[in-house]
Amino acid sequence: LAVVPIVNSVDTFWVGRMGDALALAGQAAANQAFFTIFFLISFLPNITAPLVASAVGSGDKDAARDRICESLFLCNILGGLGMLLLVAFPELGLSMVLPKGAPAMEYAAPYLRLRALSMIPALMSATGFAAYRGMLNTVTPLKVSLATNAMNLVLDPLTMFGSRSIGFVGAALATAISETTGGLIYLKLLLRRKLVKLSQLIKPPSWKSLMPLIQGGLAMLFRQAALNAGFVTATRRAQAMDPTGVSAAAYGIVMQIYVVGIVVHVAMQGTAAALVPAALAKSGKDEARSVADRTFIWASIVGVLLSLAQYAATPFLVPVFSTLPEVQEAVKSPALIASFLHVLNGPTFAGEGIMLGLARYKALASITTVGIGIMVGCLASPLGKRLDGILLSLAAFSAFQAVAVVYEYLKIGPLSRRLKKNKLEIKTA
């Protein structure tokens, strides 16, 4: 899971060594455009993990293999379309993020064209990670992540500054190569464990077998579209603040540091999405509720620790990503707000993971849509004209998400204590 943000951190480090704010702004815009398409499709791996966990918990390995192959098939088709769009028409994808005539477009378009080559492998890696997460195996994904990050770490300076380098866009090429390697490693591992059949990857699944993915997928697709709309709006606001690219570069650095912390939250989310349905299938609601409670507690503790760690590390990390004094100064206030967001993200991601594990897709999509509406409303106000205002808008979204998912778990969801209490009262009567 850490491949994407850590790879991007390495890329940002080397691009920052160039001392060009527009290069950093272009890279940030290209990555946002790439992830807008990537995350629209990656709802499939998010649904795959709890489905695999339920199948494994029930002892049905064939069902687990079918779910993985169905997800890979759809990821290959949709990922291929996304890749062709961004490779052939990068300016079209970037128009979501960059205003017309933006100086950063000159840097962003060629970067995105190479970055998009890894769309299918990145989705394969996401599905492979989801499959192993569903089997409660996190060691194997860690090894794959370390291998691909090491490759990117070596390739970045070679492609950007070596004797046969291609300059700024070399970072995108290095990322594409490392993510392609990661996708192929996952495919080989899944084939070895007989959790994938090559014949199933080229044969369209039946409509009946796709129904579990489709039913949850539509709600999750809607949720991801809402998230993309919110974060694209935020990025576009930052890109349009000044023609020098300083604000956009600062925003890109803040989000890069912030997203590395998000990896830990997403890991907690994935843990909940796998452990809760597995406990439910094996031992019933009481055990699933106990697992969910522990997840909330640990995720909240981790959120506080991440907040403190990011606050302490930011003064040392910012100079690593940019040598420009004006960019370093612009980062200070937004970075402080971003570190606080991890406190809110702890219970938020735990609650989202529990909802994913319990197939509460529509409820989660509804909560996220309302939260994004709040965020976009803040961005449309005077807050959206300042970098710290953009981060405060994100804080409003995170605060709403935290309250909503905790309330859903405690009062409305299938593991709520109110529901348990009502059942006990009915039995007593």
Side-chain angles (χ1 to χ4, degrees):
L1 180 64
V3 171
V4 172
I6 294 179
V7 162
N8 286 338
S9 295
V10 174
D11 294 345
T12 302
F13 167 78
W14 286 111
V15 173
R17 297 301 92 190
M18 298 177 65
D20 189 336
L22 283 175
L24 279 171
Q27 183 202 31
N31 282 334
Q32 181 64 62
F34 175 86
F35 288 122
T36 297
I37 303 298
F38 174 84
F39 285 123
L40 272 178
I41 304 170
S42 67
F43 70 88
L44 290 166
N46 286 336
I47 295 173
T48 299
L51 293 176
V52 170
S54 296
V56 171
S58 302
D60 192 346
K61 188 174 180 179
D62 290 340
R65 183 183 62 241
D66 291 342
R67 299 295 86 78
I68 295 169
C69 289
E70 289 156 7
S71 179
L72 283 172
F73 177 84
L74 291 176
C75 283
N76 287 337
I77 297 297
L78 298 176
L81 293 175
M83 180 187 71
L84 289 174
L85 171 67
L86 296 180
V87 170
F89 309 102
E91 291 84 1
L92 180 61
L94 288 164
S95 65
M96 298 181 293
V97 181
L98 293 174
K100 188 175 181 180
M105 182 68 79
E106 179 184 352
Y107 292 86
Y111 191 97
L112 180 59
R113 183 173 279 116
L114 288 177
R115 183 73 175 85
L117 294 175
S118 65
M119 180 68 73
I120 293 177
L123 288 166
M124 290 174 61
S125 291
T127 302
F129 173 78
Y132 274 94
R133 190 176 68 196
M135 294 183 289
L136 308 182
N137 180 341
T138 57
V139 175
T140 299
L142 176 61
K143 293 179 179 178
V144 176
S145 175
L146 291 174
T148 53
N149 275 289
M151 176 177 288
N152 188 67
L153 188 64
V154 172
L155 288 177
D156 261 344
L158 293 178
T159 55
M160 292 179 67
F161 306 109
S163 58
R164 297 185 179 181
S165 65
I166 54 176
F168 164 73
V169 296
L173 179 61
T175 298
I177 293 172
S178 64
E179 289 189 347
T180 298
T181 302
L184 293 174
I185 290 173
Y186 270 117
L187 181 60
K188 182 178 179 180
L189 291 173
L190 292 171
L191 285 168
R192 183 183 298 172
R193 296 196 61 162
K194 298 182 179 179
L195 288 170
V196 164
K197 285 185 177 179
L198 289 178
S199 59
Q200 287 183 274
L201 297 183
I202 58 176
K203 180 182 177 181
S206 67
W207 179 255
K208 181 179 179 180
S209 66
L210 281 176
M211 283 307 293
L213 283 174
I214 298 298
Q215 288 174 344
L218 291 177
M220 293 303 293
L221 177 61
F222 185 78
R223 174 180 185 261
Q224 194 57 58
L227 284 169
N228 282 351
F231 283 93
V232 165
T233 301
T235 302
R236 191 176 179 87
R237 284 282 187 175
Q239 290 284 345
M241 278 186 183
D242 66 81
T244 65
V246 169
S247 295
Y251 178 75
I253 291 172
V254 170
M255 295 307 292
Q256 187 59 69
I257 297 172
Y258 172 68
V259 169
V260 171
I262 288 292
V263 171
V264 182
H265 292 300
V266 175
M268 299 298 292
Q269 181 193 68
T271 300
L275 290 179
V276 171
L280 186 63
K282 288 182 178 180
S283 308
K285 285 190 174 183
D286 287 340
E287 179 61 23
R289 187 179 297 109
S290 178
V291 170
D293 288 346
R294 291 196 298 271
T295 303
F296 264 117
I297 293 170
W298 279 109
S300 299
I301 294 172
V302 167
V304 173
L305 294 176
L306 279 173
S307 178
L308 295 173
Q310 181 172 321
Y311 176 77
T314 295
F316 303 99
L317 292 176
V318 173
V320 171
F321 290 121
S322 178
T323 58
L324 299 173
E326 59 271 28
V327 173
Q328 295 177 13
E329 183 64 28
V331 166
K332 289 182 179 178
S333 179
L336 176 63
I337 300 170
S339 64
F340 165 73
L341 293 180
H342 290 302
V343 176
L344 299 172
N345 288 336
T348 296
F349 278 83
E352 288 179 353
I354 292 166
M355 293 180 74
L356 287 171
L358 297 174
R360 299 279 293 170
Y361 305 127
K362 291 182 180 178
L364 182 55
S366 299
I367 289 171
T368 302
T369 302
V370 174
I372 287 295
I374 294 172
M375 177 180 170
V376 172
C378 292
L379 289 170
S381 73
L383 282 176
K385 297 179 180 180
R386 313 190 320 262
L387 272 186
D388 57 351
I390 293 177
L391 270 295
L392 288 172
S393 301
L394 179 54
F397 163 69
S398 298
F400 174 81
Q401 287 285 107
V403 172
V405 297
V406 171
Y407 182 83
E408 203 278 343
Y409 172 68
L410 294 176
K411 302 294 185 180
I412 303 173
L415 298 181
S416 69
R417 279 160 176 76
R418 174 184 292 180
L419 185 63
K420 180 182 179 181
K421 181 180 178 181
N422 290 341
K423 288 185 176 180
L424 288 174
E425 290 175 350
I426 291 172
K427 287 182 179 180
T428 303

